[in-house]
Amino acid sequence: MTEPEDDEERSLRSVALQNAKSILVERQRVERELFTERERLRITLASIGDAVISTDAEGRVVFLNPVAERLTGWRQADAVGQPLTDVFQIVNETTRATVENPALRALREGRVVDLANHTVLIARDGTEHPIDDSAGPMLDERGAPIGAVLVFRDVSERKRAEEGLAQLAAIVESSEDAILSKTLDGVIRSWNAAAQRVFGYTAAEAIGQNVTMLIPRERLDEETVILSKLQQGQRIDHFETVRLAKGGRRLDISLSVSPVKDHDGRVIGASKIARDITERKRADEVLRQSQERLALAVAAASLGDWSWDAATDRMGFSQRALDIFGIAPGRLMTRSTMQALVHEDDRPGAAAEVERSTAAGGQYDVEYRLIRPSGDVVWVSSKGKAQYRTDGSISGIFGVVQDVTERKRLESDLRQRVHELADADRKKDEFIALLAHELRNPLAPIRAGLQVLKLGASDPSALEKARGMMDRQLSHMVRLIDDLLDVSRISSGRLNLQKTPVLLSDVVSHALEAVGPAIQAAGHQLDVSMPEAPVLLEADLTRLAQVFGNLLANSAKYTPQGGQIWLKAEVRGGETVVSVRDTGIGIPSDALSRVFEMFSQVDRSVERVTGGLGIGLALVKGLIETHGGTVRAASPGPGLGSTFTVRLPIRGGDIALPPTEAVAPERVTPVPRRKVVVADDSVDGAEAMADLLEAMGNEAHVAHDGLSAVALVERVRPELVLMDVGMPGQNGLDATRQIRQQPWGRPMRIIALTGWGQEADRQRSRAAGCDGHLVKPIDFEQLEKLLRELPEKTAE
């Protein structure tokens, strides 16, 4: 190569070397500047109060500043490379649902994203921080995201401040006192709900107006005084004044005013709290008047007042107290000399009550007999209360005293009257039993004559009519007597129930069978609704059927012709509910509480037609309560019908139907001819029973007193004796004892046939030697069964 080429090459190499040096120097400069900028950024991010997290383009953490480390619980070394969603976990504070990460959204959308409110950051250890945050993407020169920066802060303090302000606002708004604020020139700036209630102006009407609209003209000077004190930074507490409500109504107000200051401590306005004390003022006036009336009442009630001073042990008395205690004016009385006037029998109890009450800081109230210095004995009522010193010791006692001698006499008379009423009640029960006995006696020949008619055959239609009439009348009278006796047994607690598992449907069927004819005769429509599933009760079927029969009969009785009656049964929880409703004449509201009382007769016009002793519902209540249930009456009023609702417990355990016994075909066994003695002082009753027995094919003999009965039994030697208990001369029980004492009288069967049917009567019959006790009138089937069960031959 030529020499010039060497120079050009050298020149090119020199330029290239120089350029390389320049590039190296520039790179080093740029790297230094980048390092400096990174350090500046690192120090800035480390020192700012906000938490900062940066990610790469895949959303993995590349940087956390110390604030972010503290809030997330992740250290920089542990967090780098982790998915941002693991380090920065956020949920909605209300729903606890996961919230979309704003940094990932910024990466996806390439724009700055702000997170919605109510976001909670869950730190690595589970602690929670309410936060505000935002995120933005980092872009390369082509605008493609290469990462994201997430900035967030803990807003716990701000939330607490907001909650505090909200709570304060809620307190102000819910206050019972009117709370308002005003400027120093009197313009109203705020107005709570109570201010509207007190003054009648809405917030829209009051805010912006001058507070003088609430001040009566004659009290405007008060506002000047209040403003002067406010400017001095003073507070006005419980200033009682008068203010105007909307429409000019005047209110008594207790006013508290506080200065409102700015950041520099300058007074810029006032806050007012106004309490309406109109009612309190009125109450104070009422109290004053009440105290005056009390003083008058004390005087009118002849109350005397007295006091005892513990320091001097001296007692003071009003003139009325002196009169009650019988103490002469001016006489020195101490506590001990006063106690000496108390009757010695009452003194310990009265003293103990006074000591107990005063030691407990309460008021004592005692009554005792007082022996006046004159020797007169009077009853007094004494009330007193102790007064105490600051150290807790008693400084004295004050009280009132009243002469209650007359009241005590009246109470004694009342106790005597109660005793007399109780005795009258006992006699009433005895009368009911006696009434039943007297009514049963004439029924015996009616029932016996009925059976004789049934055996006759002269005029079948006339006999049938007579039988129906007699049977209906007899059944009605028997039910009346039974009801009277049942009420008496319930009242005395002597009613025995034969409880067995029974179906509610069977109970209702028995009731409908008994009362159906009466409902049909009245032309009523009966609607019965029963549960689909069987309902099992632990009950006396006969008695419970009697309850619903009485209720249905009551509806039929007090419902005008052609009415409607509903019986509805349903199961609610662990009990069965049966209601009987009708379209009858209803029950007045003031009578509902007493319809179940004994002999209760509601004043209803139809009552005079239907009659009755008023025992049906009393019997219903007693029978239901003995079954552990309740019964309630309801009625919208007269003419609107009534409803009786019975609630009964359902039998516990699985429902098991009572076993159904197979009914064998009835086999008629001829009754053997028997020899019977009928002893009854009722001639008609004895003769009718004898006729019936002979119509049945037996040999009957009659006696009408106890002595004749013994002689007749000894002569005839019957297989059966029907012995009336209440006979003249020698009663049936004594006659039975005399027969049993004889060898020939021991084998025969003696049955007491009487109108006395209580348990005590049955016990007396058994004790006298009777084999059984039947209550008049005896059923034909009962008599036939009795004769059939007799041995073939019991006596020679």
Side-chain angles (χ1 to χ4, degrees), residues 26-60:
E26 181 63 21
R27 177 180 293 176
Q28 289 174 346
R29 185 186 64 78
V30 171
E31 288 178 351
R32 285 195 300 273
E33 288 179 356
L34 287 174
F35 178 78
T36 300
E37 188 63 28
R38 282 197 300 270
E39 279 298 296
R40 184 182 298 112
L41 180 60
R42 184 184 63 79
I43 293 171
T44 299
L45 294 177
S47 61
I48 65 174
D50 290 340
V52 179
I53 301 177
S54 63
T55 73
D56 58 18
E58 284 74 34
R60 296 184 178 279

Side-chain angles (χ1 to χ4, degrees), residues 326-385:
I327 302 171
R331 179 182 174 182
L332 177 63
M333 295 292 294
T334 65
R335 192 173 182 184
S336 59
T337 56
M338 187 66 221
Q339 290 174 342
L341 298 180
V342 180
H343 193 287
E344 60 181 4
D345 292 343
D346 301 338
R347 194 178 302 156
E353 176 61 18
V354 172
E355 293 299 329
R356 184 194 66 78
S357 299
T358 53
Q363 174 181 304
Y364 71 80
D365 185 351
V366 295
E367 292 185 353
Y368 54 85
R369 284 167 294 177
L370 180 76
I371 303 178
R372 291 172 174 167
S374 63
D376 295 336
V377 178
V378 294
W379 275 97
V380 297
S381 172
S382 180
K383 298 177 176 62
K385 186 174 180 61

Side-chain angles (χ1 to χ4, degrees), residues 84-99:
L84 178 61
T85 52
D86 290 349
V87 176
F88 186 72
Q89 299 183 38
I90 52 177
V91 297
N92 183 279
E93 68 177 348
T94 303
T95 66
R96 309 303 294 179
T98 302
V99 178

Side-chain angles (χ1 to χ4, degrees), residues 450 453-454 459-473:
L450 176 64
L453 290 176
K454 287 183 179 179
D459 185 353
S461 61
L463 291 177
E464 184 61 30
K465 183 177 180 180
R467 283 198 299 269
M469 179 275 296
M470 295 175 69
D471 197 53
R472 284 193 302 274
Q473 294 301 318

Side-chain angles (χ1 to χ4, degrees), residues 416-433:
Q416 178 62 28
R417 180 58 179 159
V418 169
H419 176 74
E420 291 172 357
L421 289 174
D423 186 61
D425 189 63
R426 178 184 59 79
K427 292 178 179 177
K428 176 205 67 178
D429 287 343
E430 294 175 355
F431 164 75
I432 291 174

Side-chain angles (χ1 to χ4, degrees), residues 532-661:
E532 293 182 0
V535 179
L536 194 62
L537 307 173
E538 188 76 18
D540 185 324
L541 188 147
T542 302
R543 292 300 191 183
L544 208 52
Q546 184 180 1
V547 165
F548 296 123
N550 278 6
L551 292 177
L552 289 167
N554 194 68
S555 289
K557 181 178 180 181
Y558 295 113
T559 299
Q561 188 81 13
Q564 178 75 40
I565 301 173
W566 295 268
L567 185 148
K568 181 179 181 181
E570 55 187 334
V571 175
R572 297 180 191 169
E575 60 183 8
T576 181
V577 181
V578 181
S579 62
V580 176
R581 182 166 60 94
D582 60 58
T583 58
I585 64 173
I587 305 172
S589 58
D590 59 349
L592 284 172
S593 61
R594 63 176 190 273
V595 293
F596 294 106
E597 295 178 3
M598 182 65 172
F599 306 123
S600 174
Q601 290 280 340
V602 177
D603 186 12
R604 296 179 280 188
S605 60
V606 74
E607 192 78 18
R608 292 190 295 271
V609 178
T610 58
L613 291 177
I615 61 174
L617 293 180
L619 180 59
V620 165
K621 182 174 185 292
L623 289 174
I624 287 298
E625 289 178 349
T626 56
H627 279 84
T630 61
V631 59
R632 183 177 65 87
S635 175
L640 299 176
S642 57
T643 302
F644 290 84
T645 303
V646 173
R647 295 177 180 270
L648 288 166
I650 296 176
R651 188 171 188 259
D654 297 332
I655 291 181
L657 301 180
T660 302
E661 298 180 0

